[in-house]
Amino acid sequence: MPKLTFLVTGQTHEVPAGTKFLDFCRKNNAPHDFGCTVGSCGTCCLTLESGAENVNPATDDEKETVEMCTDVKGARLGCQLVINGDIAVRPIER
Ligand code: FES
C-alpha cells in the first residue's frame, strides 16, 4: 500500500491506492489544515517533497488557486489530491 508521510510530524501511514488526501486527514485527525475543501481557498496548500508523480495531475482550476496562494514550484492543494503511491507532504505557510 502507498505510504503517506507528514513531514511536519514525521508520521507515516499506509493508505489504499486511490485514497483522497482530504478523506484520510478527516478520518484520522491528521496534521493538515483545510478550509473550503473544494479547491478555491488555498488553505490546504502543500508541497510534495517526494512522490509528486504518485498523485493525480492538477486541473486548471487547481493550478489557478495555487498560483493565487504561493510561488512555490510544484505546490498542490491537499483537498484535491488522490494518493496513488508513496508521498511525503509539507504544508505551505501562508
Ligand atoms: S481547502 Fe480550500 S483549497 Fe483546499
Side-chain angles (χ1 to χ4, degrees):
M1 280 207 283
K3 290 189 178 63
L4 164 60
T5 300
F6 292 89
L7 294 170
V8 72
T9 58
Q11 291 171 278
T12 297
H13 306 265
E14 291 204 333
V15 301
T19 297
K20 291 181 179 163
F21 180 74
L22 173 65
D23 290 347
F24 176 86
C25 290
R26 283 182 155 171
K27 283 187 195 136
N28 295 282
N29 199 22
H32 195 79
D33 292 334
F34 296 92
C36 69
T37 72
V38 292
S40 57
C41 72
T43 304
C44 63
C45 229
L46 54 76
T47 54
L48 290 154
E49 295 199 6
S50 66
E53 69 283 9
N54 291 333
V55 295
N56 56 316
T59 62
D60 288 345
D61 284 349
E62 180 180 345
K63 288 178 192 163
E64 206 171 291
T65 301
V66 167
E67 279 168 20
M68 286 188 314
C69 301
T70 181
D71 293 333
V72 175
K73 208 168 179 293
R76 295 294 305 265
L77 297 178
C79 69
Q80 302 299 301
L81 280 189
V82 178
I83 304 163
N84 296 317
D86 293 0
I87 61 172
V89 303
R90 187 183 298 281
I92 293 175
E93 302 297 333
R94 298 181 65 204

